[in-house]
Amino acid sequence: MHIINPATEEVLATVAEGDAPDIDAAVKAAREAFENGPWPRIRPHQRTEYLLKIAELVQQHAEELAHVITLDNGKPISEARNEVARAAEVFIFYAGWVTKIFGETNPSDPSLFNYTLCEPLGVCGQIIPWNGPLSMVAWKVAPALACGNTVVLKPAEQTPLPALAFGQLTLKAGLPDGVVNIVTGFGPTAGAAIARHSDVDNVAFTGSTSVGKEILHAAAGNLKHVSLELGGKSPNIIFDDANIELAVTGSATGIFRNQGQVCCAGSRIFVQQKTYDEFAERLTQAASSIRLGDPLEPRTTMGPLVSGEQYERVLGYLKVGKQEGASVRAGGERGPQSRGYFVRPTVFADVKGSMRIAREEIFGPVASLIPFQDETDAVLQANDTIYGLAAAVWTRDINRAHALARSLKAGTVWINCYGILDPISSFGGYKQSGFGRELGKHSIELYTQAKSVFIKF
Ligand code: NAI
Ligand code: MG
């Protein structure tokens, strides 16, 4: 497979195109490592040390990894550096968990001693997207390893290089053979082979809702454990009483970071009527001040979209928005560059909840501004979506903030901020944004299963 640099459209590298037989070989290696290798059997303290070693290697190779991310994905180098730092933190976080995966002793019949063990699942299949090509590796691999599983990971066909660079670091860390297996390839071939493989115990997927549904079907064959982190159309709600300056800055980051290719992007921006015009004006200014360009240039704040396919998709939505009658306040077209998948940060005003740009995940730097009247109206409009990944509220009224945190149907709610993620806290979706929660203690639950043991005196 040719890997394209989205900033130049030039071939960056060529990687192997894995298919079902390669997945099968990887699963065999992972199975052997799980059943007969040291990984699930070593002292937990030792697994902690391995995970810490991986984190340390990621930090030591931070600059190299950040460059690989930017070359492969197109995000600004500052964002890539941040991604590397966050990925290392995820390994550090789960390194601490290894020795805290406790079982329980249970008050059963007095003639019995009953305890519950928390055991690994076995071979974990992991299919990840291109928008966070290293962070997604960390979110999937770190907790699976912490629990004593072995993994077969397939990175996205657009951005396999950060995962491959990470794989080399696991070799450097001296992980036992077969514990981490990375197979590059396309979704319908290599990815589907993981989802349907009869000797894979779990499949964790991040990507589109439509592929998530296919994976769920394929996983039914051997009843794999499934976790799905899918699309979103997250509401970002600005009340008249908000600190408007902070709301504008936060909302701009919420929709424009990573070129808007973020599952929890705040793509539907609801603004209360009195503030609407001023907010629209200020967000337009914020969008226009974004520096779109070479993502390796340190001052660049927006790079190209990841691929020609994503570029065409987003340009298609810009056309749809105009046809539907939304008004373009900023952007609305491709960037001025002669090469590369650059799209200008775009603000659509006068958007109605029924328009496609307000209903479908665009996954690009496109904000839709929608007015609302009051709290009830805001919640009704915000929840009127098939998705439920995240939501945000900007207000100075603490009662309202707490009330909305409860009434918004989303896996994460931000109050007076946007996009904060922390390995300490769960992440995942309501409704068609998927199920299963990652990060925090929730990933430990995803990658373990309980076993109840009864001993008769
Ligand atoms: P996708 O869902 O097709 O790809 C994500 C991953 O799934 C990749 O590794 C891909 O190879 C794999 N895959 C694809 N088809 C598969 C199959 N049949 N069986 C197993 N694995 C399969 O997403 P794509 O096509 O890259 O982007 C399409 C849209 O999906 C985006 O425009 C965006 O709306 C959404 N998306 C959401 C993401 C999120 O973070 N939740 C990430 C990427 C895309
Ligand atoms: Mg696809």
Side-chain angles (χ1 to χ4, degrees):
M1 309 191 293
H2 289 316
I3 306 306
I4 306 294
N5 177 343
T8 61
E9 299 179 50
E10 282 161 9
V11 175
L12 190 59
T14 304
V15 304
E17 183 186 335
D19 204 335
D22 307 289
I23 294 295
D24 197 47
V27 171
K28 284 203 169 76
R31 176 58 62 191
E32 174 63 20
F34 184 74
E35 302 299 340
N36 301 313
W39 188 248
R41 289 165 198 89
I42 54 177
R43 292 176 67 226
H45 292 287
Q46 250 179 300
R47 275 209 303 280
T48 292
E49 280 180 38
Y50 276 114
L51 292 196
L52 289 176
K53 183 75 197 165
I54 292 173
E56 191 188 332
L57 285 164
V58 168
Q59 288 167 336
Q60 282 169 1
H61 292 78
E63 209 39 35
E64 178 190 327
L65 287 166
H67 273 78
V68 172
I69 291 172
T70 290
L71 287 170
D72 205 357
N73 163 283
K75 70 177 66 183
I77 188 72
S78 56
E79 290 184 22
R81 288 184 177 124
N82 188 46
E83 179 171 347
V84 177
R86 300 285 85 77
E89 275 175 11
V90 172
F91 276 92
I92 294 168
F93 178 77
Y94 285 107
W97 265 99
V98 179
T99 51
K100 286 127 202 125
I101 303 173
F102 299 111
E104 290 167 334
T105 60
N106 308 318
S108 181
D109 187 295
S111 73
L112 293 167
F113 173 43
N114 172 222
Y115 62 93
T116 312
L117 293 171
C118 211
E119 296 197 326
L121 295 175
V123 175
C124 296
Q126 313 194 309
I127 304 171
I128 61 169
W130 40 262
N131 53 341
L134 186 68
S135 60
M136 288 297 106
V137 172
W139 286 32
K140 300 278 185 281
V141 172
L145 294 190
C147 298
N149 299 284
T150 58
V151 307
V152 175
L153 175 116
K154 192 200 81 64
E157 54 272 32
Q158 298 85 351
T159 59
L161 303 181
L164 292 176
F166 170 84
Q168 289 184 323
L169 297 182
T170 65
L171 294 177
K172 253 193 182 163
L175 275 192
D177 285 349
V179 173
V180 172
N181 304 275
I182 299 171
V183 181
T184 53
F186 290 101
T189 50
I194 292 180
R196 68 163 182 266
H197 201 290
S198 59
D199 202 29
V200 170
D201 298 297
N202 151 297
V203 59
F205 171 75
T206 299
S208 61
T209 292
S210 61
V211 171
K213 291 177 185 178
E214 286 181 46
I215 285 178
L216 190 57
H217 280 289
N222 68 331
L223 285 181
K224 283 178 193 67
H225 297 236
V226 179
S227 63
L228 302 172
E229 200 261 271
L230 309 173
K233 193 73 188 173
S234 297
N236 179 20
I237 306 168
I238 292 103
F239 282 93
D240 285 337
D241 72 347
N243 177 327
I244 189 158
E245 198 164 332
L246 294 183
V248 169
T249 314
S251 303
T253 313
I255 183 60
F256 296 133
R257 192 174 57 88
N258 204 8
Q259 294 73 243
Q261 303 164 132
V262 180
C263 49
C264 56
S267 50
R268 291 185 297 147
I269 306 183
F270 295 100
V271 191
Q272 202 165 9
Q273 269 162 349
K274 258 203 287 177
T275 310
Y276 187 87
D277 288 335
E278 185 187 352
F279 186 91
E281 176 69 22
R282 290 213 198 181
L283 188 71
T284 301
Q285 277 168 16
S288 309
S289 69
I290 286 172
R291 299 174 69 104
L292 179 70
D294 176 3
L296 285 172
E297 156 68 41
R299 284 177 311 164
T300 293
T301 48
M302 185 177 282
L305 299 185
V306 70
S307 64
E309 188 188 354
Q310 199 60 23
Y311 178 70
E312 293 303 333
R313 182 178 291 147
V314 172
L315 290 182
Y317 275 111
L318 295 183
K319 220 166 152 186
V320 166
K322 292 172 197 166
Q323 283 164 358
E324 286 178 315
S327 66
V328 177
R329 295 291 178 88
E333 57 187 9
R334 57 191 296 280
Q337 290 78 2
S338 56
R339 295 185 71 80
Y341 307 124
F342 294 91
V343 172
R344 288 187 196 272
T346 295
V347 177
F348 275 124
D350 308 318
V351 177
K352 295 199 174 57
S354 56
M355 293 180 179
R356 279 182 64 200
I357 55 166
R359 306 203 72 77
E360 298 172 18
E361 182 173 53
I362 298 176
F363 230 61
V366 185
S368 289
L369 290 177
I370 308 169
F372 72 89
Q373 286 166 3
D374 54 18
E375 213 171 296
T376 312
D377 183 31
V379 172
L380 265 177
Q381 292 203 62
N383 284 338
D384 180 20
T385 167
I386 61 165
Y387 296 113
L389 197 53
V393 179
W394 301 80
T395 179
R396 287 184 167 106
D397 180 338
I398 192 165
N399 292 339
R400 170 188 281 157
H402 283 295
L404 262 76
R406 288 177 186 232
S407 48
L408 290 168
K409 291 189 172 29
T412 297
V413 177
W414 293 293
I415 309 286
N416 295 331
C417 56
Y418 204 98
I420 294 176
L421 298 174
D422 188 322
I424 202 94
S425 201
S426 71
F427 187 77
Y430 278 44
K431 299 193 267 183
Q432 292 191 38
S433 291
F435 54 79
R437 294 288 179 273
E438 294 187 299
L439 300 183
K441 67 174 184 206
H442 302 272
S443 277
I444 300 296
E445 287 157 13
L446 281 184
Y447 290 106
T448 53
Q449 55 193 338
K451 175 185 280 176
S452 197
V453 181
F454 288 93
I455 299 178
K456 181 105 177 111
F457 294 123

